[in-house]
Amino acid sequence: LIEFKMKITNLKLLATSDKDLSVIAAHLQDSIVSSKDIANLKKNRIFLIQLNRFMWEDVEKGVFRKNKRIRTMLKFDNVISVSSKNINKTDNEYFLDFLTIETILLPDKSYEIKLIFSGGATIKLSVEVVDVTLDDQGSPWESNTAPKHNFL
C-alpha cells in the first residue's frame, strides 16, 4: 500500500494594484461570508472580512478532485471610509455570496473598491492606496457541493 500525502500550502496573496485585486477576486469567487465576520477597525484604518473560500485552484486536479473550502482573511489597509448597501448587519445567520471586486481610481489618486455580492449587496471602501492581503487560515474541508452558475 502506497500512501500519498500532499502538503497543503495555504494561499497568501498581496494586492497593490487593481490588476492584483482582479487575481484576488478570481480566487474569492463563490466565497461565503457571514455578516458577523465583517469588521471595520476605524482607528486602525483596517477593514477585515473572513470568508469561506471555495478552492477553485483545485479544479485542475481532475476526476479525483474533491470540492473544498478554506477559511480566508481578506484585509484592506489605509481605509478612509466604509459603506454598504443591501446588507443585513443585525442577523447573524445572514450570509453573502461573493461575486467580484470593482476598483475605480479617483482624481485625487485614491481608490474606491467595491466588494460585490449576489442579491445586489455591496460594500464600498474608500482607500488611500491598494494594499490588500488574502491569507488562508487553517486547513481546508470537503464541501458536498460546488458552486453552479447559470449562463444566459
Side-chain angles (χ1 to χ4, degrees), residues 8 10 55 68-71 137-142:
I8 298 167
N10 285 1
M55 297 177 73
K68 290 187 246 169
R69 287 192 179 272
I70 191 166
R71 295 288 274 171
Q137 309 284 308
S139 299
W141 67 90
E142 287 184 29

Side-chain angles (χ1 to χ4, degrees), residues 10 21 32 36-37 55 78 98-99 117 119 133 142-144:
N10 285 1
L21 269 180
I32 300 167
K36 70 180 184 217
D37 290 332
M55 297 177 73
N78 302 297
F98 183 89
L99 296 178
F117 303 89
T133 308
E142 287 184 29
S143 175
N144 293 331

